[in-house]
C-alpha cells in the first residue's frame, strides 16, 4: 500500500496536498489539531477545510499535536514502511505571535519538526520527507541589497542580477534581524537538511515566499493576500505596516507548491534546499495588491497606514526558482497572481463565507 502523510492537513498547503495526492496514493493520512484557531482566534479557524477533507474516501484524520513526540511516533509506527511521502506543513506561521510566545513557537516549529523527522527515521526511513520552510530564515538581510524606490514598490536595482531572476539560495543566513519565528523555522530547516545530508533520508527543504489560495484562513498576523481579499469583500479596513506599503512579495498558489513537492518525490535529492515562489510575474507590493483588490470588489478599500514597519520586515523579496527548475524541468507554475486573487475573491464572496465574515467583522 502507498501512503502519504500530511501534517497541517487542515491548513492552506496541507488541504491542497490532501486534495492533489488523494488520487495518487492508496491512503492519505492527515495530522492536524486545529491549532490555527488557537493561534489566531475564530478568523483562523480551519474546521471548514477539515470538514472538506473528511468526505474524501481515502482520507484518514488523526487529531495529533506535533509537539507530542509519543503521539507522532505512534502514528508513523502504525503505517510504517507503507508511508512513501511525508509532507510536513504543520506550523506556527506568524512572527508577531512568536514574539509573544517564544517557547510555544519553538516547540511547534522546531521541536515538532524534529518529532516528525525522528519518527520518520524510525518507521519509514525510505519515505520522501518534504519540509515547508520559509524565506524568513534569511531575516532582513535582503534589505542590504541595492534597492530602488519606485512609485508603488521597492525593487532591486536594475543592474543587480536579482532584478531579473529574484533571490537565489546563496543568500547568507547569519547576523541578521530574523524574528523568533525565523529562528524556529531555521532550526527546523537545518535539522531537516541534516537528516538528508548526514543520514541519507530523502528530505527536501522548500524555502517558500508567500503561499496563498482560496483555502487560506488569512488573518492580520499571517497571510496578507488572503486577509486583504477577506477585508475587501467584507468592507473592512486594511492596515499597512510601514515601508509606505511599497514592500514587495512574490506569491505562489498552494497548488503549484504542492506540485513542486510531487516532482521532488518522483526523484528526491537528499538534503536539497530549494527556493519556492511565484517569481517576478507574481510579485506585488501591498499598495499594488490593494489596487488590484479594489478592482475586484469595485469599490475603494479603507486603508490605515501605520508608520512603523514590522520587525525585520523585508522591503523586497522576489524568489529565484531556477535551482528547482533546473533539477525538475517538468515543473512550471500554472496560476498567475490574478488567478490567485480571483479564486480568493470567489471563495470569500460565497454566501456562507461572507455570512461568517460579517459576523466576525461586525460582531
Ligand atoms: N502561507 C505562507 O505564506 C507561508 C510562507 C512560507 C512558509 N510557510 C510555511 O508553510 C507551512 C504551511 O503554511 P500554511 O499557510 O498552510 O499554514 P496554515 O496555518 O494554513 O496551516 C498549518 C496547519 O498546521 C496546524 N497546526 C499548527 N500547529 C499544530 C500542531 N502543534 N500540531 C498539529 N497541527 C498543527 C494548524 O491547525 C493548521 O491547520 C507552515 O509551516 C509555514 O510556516 C507558509
Amino acid at each position: 500500500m502507498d501512503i502519504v502523510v500530511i501534517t497541517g492537513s487542515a491548513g492552506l498547503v496541507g488541504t491542497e496536498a490532501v486534495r492533489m495526492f488523494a488520487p495518487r496514493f492508496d491512503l492519505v493520512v492527515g495530522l492536524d489539531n486545529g491549532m490555527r484557531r488557537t493561534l489566531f482566534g475564530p478568523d483562523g479557524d480551519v474546521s471548514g477545510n477539515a470538514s472538506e477533507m473528511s468526505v474524501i474516501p481515502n482520507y484518514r484524520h488523526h487529531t495529533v499535536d506535533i509537539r507530542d513526540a509519543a503521539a507522532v511516533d505512534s502514528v508513523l509506527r502504525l503505517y510504517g514502511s507503507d508511508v512513501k511521502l511525508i509532507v510536513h506543513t504543520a506550523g506556527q506561521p506568524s512572527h508577531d505571535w512568536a514574539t509573544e510566545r517564544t517557547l510555544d513557537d519553538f516547540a511547534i516549529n522546531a521541536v515538532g519538526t524534529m518529532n516528525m523527522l525522528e519518527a520518520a527515521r524510525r518507521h519509514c526511513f525510505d519515505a520522501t520527507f518534504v519540509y515547508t520552510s520559509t524565506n524568513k530564515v534569511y531575516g532582513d538581510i535582503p534589505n542590504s541589497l541595492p534597492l530602488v524606490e519606485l512609485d508603488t514598490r521597492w525593487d532591486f536595482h536594475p543592474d543587480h542580477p536579482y532584478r531579473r531572476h529574484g533571490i537565489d539560495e546563496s543568500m547568507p543566513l547569519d547576523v541578521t534581524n530574523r524574528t523568533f519565528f525565523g529562528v524556529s523555522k531555521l532550526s527546523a530547516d537545518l535539522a531537516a537538511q541534516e537528516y538528508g545530508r548526514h543520514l541519507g533520508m530523502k528530505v527536501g527543504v522548500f524555502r517558500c515566499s508567500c503561499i496563498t489560495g482560496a483555502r487560506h484562513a488569512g488573518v492580520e498576523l499571517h497571510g496578507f493576500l488572503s486577509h486583504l481579499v477577506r477585508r475587501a469583500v467584507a468592507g473592512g479596513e486594511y492596515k499597512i505596516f510601514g515601508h509606505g506599503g511599497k514592500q514587495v512579495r512574490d506569491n505562489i498558489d498552494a497548488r503549484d507548491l504542492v506540485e513542486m513537492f510531487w516532482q521532488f518525490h518522483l526523484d528526491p535529492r537528499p538534503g536539497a534546499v530549494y527556493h519556492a515562489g511565484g517569481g517576478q510575474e507574481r510579485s506585488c507590493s501591498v499598495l499594488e495588491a490593494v489596487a488590484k483588490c479594489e478592482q475586484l470588489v469595485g469599490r475603494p478599500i479603507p486603508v490605515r497606514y501605520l508608520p512603523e514597519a514590522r520587525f525585520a520586515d523585508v522591503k523586497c523579496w522576489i524568489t529565484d526558482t531556477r535551482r528547482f527548475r533546473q533539477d525538475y524541468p517538468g515543473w512550471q507554475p500554472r496560476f498567475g497572481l490574478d488567478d490567485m486573487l480571483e479564486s480568493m475573491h470567489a471563495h470569500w464572496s460565497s454566501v456562507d463565507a461572507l455570512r461568517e465574515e460579517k459576523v466576525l467583522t461586525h460582531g
Side-chain angles (χ1 to χ4, degrees):
M1 186 188 273
D2 284 355
I3 298 176
V4 55
V5 172
I6 298 166
T7 72
S9 53
L12 167 67
V13 181
T15 304
E16 294 303 347
V18 171
R19 289 160 57 85
M20 287 171 68
F21 290 150
R24 303 181 196 179
F25 287 84
D26 299 315
L27 183 65
V28 182
V29 172
L31 273 67
D32 199 304
N33 66 349
M35 184 94 192
R36 194 169 168 95
R37 187 186 168 100
T38 314
L39 298 170
F40 303 123
D43 276 7
D45 190 17
V46 286
S47 53
N49 289 343
S51 313
E52 269 189 59
M53 299 304 100
S54 66
V55 297
I56 295 175
N58 60 339
Y59 178 75
R60 196 180 295 165
H61 191 82
H62 292 262
T63 304
V64 161
D65 189 327
I66 57 164
R67 289 172 291 183
D68 182 344
V72 165
D73 187 82
S74 70
V75 172
L76 290 195
R77 188 174 59 234
L78 180 65
Y79 300 107
S81 59
D82 284 343
V83 176
K84 303 296 187 288
L85 169 62
I86 297 171
V87 179
H88 176 43
T89 80
Q92 186 303 106
S94 156
H95 304 273
D96 299 316
W97 196 94
T99 308
E100 297 309 314
R101 306 268 296 269
T102 48
L103 290 177
D104 294 327
D105 172 73
F106 199 83
I108 297 171
N109 288 345
V111 180
T113 300
M114 284 293 289
N115 290 339
M116 285 300 304
L117 286 160
E118 202 52 32
R121 174 191 191 179
R122 238 175 268 138
H123 303 298
C124 38
F125 187 92
D126 292 328
T128 308
F129 191 111
V130 166
Y131 175 58
T132 45
S133 185
T134 167
N135 57 10
K136 300 299 184 297
V137 296
Y138 300 111
D140 66 358
I141 287 179
N143 284 347
S144 58
L145 293 167
L147 298 173
V148 286
E149 186 173 359
L150 306 177
D151 285 349
T152 59
R153 61 159 66 196
W154 288 96
D155 210 336
F156 304 118
H157 191 279
D159 295 339
H160 198 283
Y162 287 162
R163 178 71 166 255
R164 179 140 172 254
H165 299 298
I167 300 176
D168 65 31
E169 293 83 351
S170 65
M171 170 97 345
L173 278 165
D174 216 353
V175 191
T176 175
N177 297 322
R178 200 187 321 260
T179 77
F180 288 100
F181 164 78
V183 170
S184 63
K185 291 296 284 187
L186 177 58
S187 307
D189 176 314
L190 296 175
Q193 288 182 53
E194 202 64 17
Y195 279 80
R197 299 173 73 97
H198 187 164
L199 302 182
M201 286 170 64
K202 296 175 204 153
V203 177
V205 172
F206 289 76
R207 291 186 181 152
C208 308
S209 58
C210 290
I211 314 164
T212 199
R215 289 180 179 78
H216 207 185
V219 290
E220 186 176 302
L221 295 184
H222 173 245
F224 100 95
L225 268 190
S226 166
H227 177 59
L228 172 59
V229 175
R230 250 178 126 161
R231 301 305 281 171
V233 169
E237 177 187 83
Y238 184 75
K239 287 186 212 151
I240 294 181
F241 295 85
H243 298 322
K246 293 185 180 183
Q247 55 273 59
V248 168
R249 300 289 182 269
D250 68 330
N251 303 278
I252 183 166
D253 190 291
R255 292 166 290 183
D256 283 328
L257 180 65
V258 172
E259 195 54 37
M260 288 176 111
F261 301 163
W262 177 248
Q263 295 294 323
F264 180 80
H265 173 57
L266 294 178
D267 183 15
R269 291 166 163 78
V273 175
Y274 294 111
H275 278 184
Q280 186 70 261
E281 287 169 51
R282 293 167 189 77
S283 72
C284 59
S285 69
V286 178
L287 290 181
E288 291 162 357
V290 168
K292 276 182 175 287
C293 287
E294 288 180 333
Q295 276 183 345
L296 271 179
V297 295
R299 59 173 180 272
I301 299 170
V303 169
R304 179 141 57 106
Y305 288 89
L306 300 158
E308 199 175 336
R310 285 176 156 140
F311 181 76
D313 194 33
V314 165
K315 286 182 181 165
C316 183
W317 180 281
I318 294 170
T319 310
D320 182 351
T321 53
R322 280 179 303 164
R323 180 190 281 184
F324 184 82
R325 285 186 282 124
Q326 191 175 333
D327 286 355
Y328 301 95
W331 180 81
Q332 277 296 329
R334 285 186 300 147
F335 301 99
L337 183 57
D338 289 341
D339 300 325
M340 294 177 225
L341 288 168
E342 277 159 23
S343 68
M344 285 186 277
H345 180 241
H347 172 76
W348 291 113
S349 304
S350 72
V351 178
D352 283 352
L354 187 59
R355 190 182 305 124
E356 181 195 317
E357 185 65 11
K358 285 211 158 125
V359 171
L360 293 171
T361 309
H362 307 298

